[in-house]
Amino acid sequence: MSLRTLKFVLLGLTVIVAGAVGPFLPSKWMTTLMYAQLFAVYAMGWDILSGMTGQISFGHIFFVAVSGYTAGLLNLYLKWPIWATVPTGVSMAVLAGLLFSVPALRLRGPYFSLVTLILPLAAARLVIILADWTGGELGKFGVTPLCQDSLLNTLEGLLSRLHIDSFRLYQYCNYYFFWVLMTAVGVGLVWLSTSRIGKILEAIRENEEAVEAAGINVAKYKIFAFAVSASVVGLGGALSVHTNEAVFFNSLLSLTSSIEMIVASVIGGMGTIVGALWGGFLVRGGEQLIREIAQWKLPIGAEGLALSFLERWATFIFFALLLVLLFFARQGLLPLLMGLFRQRRGEIRRG
Amino acid sequence: MALLRVENLRKSFGGLMAVKDLSFHVEPQEILGLIGPNGAGKSTVFNLIMGILKPDRGQIFFKGQEITHWPTYKIVNAGIARVFQIAQYFPRKTVYENVEISAIPNEIFTRAIDPTPKTLQSCERTGLCEHSSDENRCICRQELPGMLPQGGLRRLELARAIGTDPELLLLDEPFAGLSHAEVDEISHLIASLRDEGQTIILVDHNMRGVMRLVDRIVVLCFGEKIAEGTPEEVARNPQVQEAYLAGGGF
């Protein structure tokens, strides 16, 4: 089986599971996994640039913000419909990516990363300075929902025999919107990453001089990867504004999210795309899982104490577990699995 | 018409004049030796030709076209390829995948061309094949470059360079760090490329090693050309003998 086929199979299995568990999820988990799908899109978008070419961006949330604020504000103030806000937001993210990448890609290693880190910091200040329009740190409500009433009514009519209450239906609608987005982005990026373009991006990570010596314009490929990456995270950002029905500072410009994109990709396996998707679920689902565990009924009377203790420590424990994972499975889940798979096959062949 | 023409090339690093008003040319299907003691500026000349360094002044012409300020990839696509002294490879890609990179076109949006036949051809020409039961078919080696001996890495470098279909091949100290047996193998390989009509510039500090291979020699010393001619002429040149004796002999 070729690497491409293997990745498509793994991607297929993952999205089938994510799609199939939807109806069985309790409401809280449905929201968590909806955002996990969005975050998986961000992680995959980060991975096609940074994971594949080794140009580590610490500030990818910036492109989420450019697209999200563009879409959200156009909708809030100029009443643009979704079909116009989302493409405009994505275009702005790509434009920002191109404008930024041309000078930034001259920089190498830590300098490049530092510059990317400054981007969202600067953008955050701008959002706060322009708080009258952007809502500043509080955000601004009133963005047109992705799942509008007309769509929900149609769905209700279609699914009338299932007797789903309207809140649940609304959740389903958003959940599957992001499921479709994640699947489409996953298919596109797995294809790209295993194409000849992906081969070149990977080669750039390993030895730029050798790629240039093979007659390949390294800068052009890096800029292309930057544009694809910005468009993917921008698409996620613009759609998230419409599901949140608001421009939220904390979801559009959170530095933590920016770092978690890197963590997701590294845990899953840098440059593997499918690994980044898994990592996205682990990062976003993991913390919620620890919270859930904290709320399990304990058999002993000390229940109350343990509960509050664990709940307060959940995020900390989560980060500590991430550290352990990064220390001991640095190459990431997908390469680890593939290594095991190869070993098994090797043993069979030898035996 | 000369395939490559270098005119009054000058490059200094701070106070050090690495290449001083150097002019030379290479005719099609010729093997030119660029010889000189360590620090004579030979590798700098290669870096200038490949666009990795920009000259302070002077011009470089390839097939009559000036390429002095072109970027590396464009120079490669115009038909010059270089084999590095220290192998430049992709450590996590197999030998096959390493060679494959040169068979992939530079264009992002273009119709897919299968790079496989070209890759196999490059492997075959440089002896990087692993023969299966079918002895006549070449299969590129599947191991990682780190597993190859020095001579193998040199072959890998050559394969990647040849994969770009160069009209001019620059070989930077192809025998450095090789065992005697490997030197013979790589010499054979270079000779076979020459017999196929490949134009080559070969840099070496060891004149004796390249005498048999080259048609003509340019001798560099402290960035300046001190002699030029057939190997016999150059070997008889008293200035060359002096430079080499001063620099520690042949």
Side-chain angles (χ1 to χ4, degrees), chain A residues 37-51:
Chain A
Q37 292 181 118
L38 171 66
F39 187 68
V41 169
Y42 292 163
M44 287 188 283
W46 183 87
D47 205 34
I48 196 75
L49 172 71
S50 297

Side-chain angles (χ1 to χ4, degrees), chain A residues 133-155:
Chain A
W133 293 347
T134 62
E137 281 179 288
L138 294 171
K140 217 167 185 94
F141 289 85
V143 177
T144 314
L146 196 61
C147 295
Q148 285 154 342
D149 289 342
S150 55
L151 178 65
L152 289 174
N153 287 337
T154 322
L155 280 176

Side-chain angles (χ1 to χ4, degrees), chain A residues 196-197 199-200 202-207 209-218 220-221 224, chain B residues 72-73 76-77 84 88-93 100-102 104-110 160 164:
Chain A
R196 67 192 161 80
I197 296 171
K199 282 177 185 169
I200 289 175
E202 250 174 9
I204 289 173
R205 180 180 65 199
E206 293 187 35
N207 190 335
E209 280 73 25
V211 177
E212 193 90 12
I216 299 215
N217 185 350
V218 170
K220 181 170 78 174
Y221 276 86
F224 174 75
Chain B
T72 305
Y73 75 90
V76 173
N77 290 328
F84 290 91
Q88 298 288 327
Y89 54 85
F90 311 113
R92 287 168 63 190
K93 289 182 178 288
E100 191 187 22
I101 291 291
S102 353
I104 298 176
N106 181 34
E107 278 73 36
I108 294 177
F109 306 103
T110 180
R160 199 195 50 230
T164 64

Side-chain angles (χ1 to χ4, degrees), chain A residues 11-26 29-30 33 37 168 172 175-176 178-180 182-183 281:
Chain A
L11 176 72
L13 291 174
T14 314
V15 298
I16 286 169
V17 170
V21 296
F24 306 103
L25 291 172
W29 270 101
M30 190 158 226
L33 289 191
Q37 292 181 118
R168 188 75 180 158
Y172 271 150
Y175 183 89
Y176 283 103
F178 280 123
W179 181 80
V180 170
M182 177 184 77
T183 307
F281 273 97

Side-chain angles (χ1 to χ4, degrees), chain B residues 34-82:
Chain B
L34 200 59
I35 311 294
N38 285 324
K42 304 172 306 258
S43 292
T44 306
V45 172
F46 271 10
N47 284 334
L48 289 168
I49 295 174
M50 293 312 295
I52 292 166
L53 294 174
K54 298 295 168 211
D56 301 337
R57 66 178 208 217
Q59 289 166 301
I60 303 164
F61 296 90
F62 182 63
K63 292 194 282 187
Q65 196 172 17
E66 185 174 354
I67 60 163
T68 319
H69 297 286
W70 285 14
T72 305
Y73 75 90
K74 202 171 162 191
I75 292 169
V76 173
N77 290 328
I80 308 181
R82 183 241 192 108

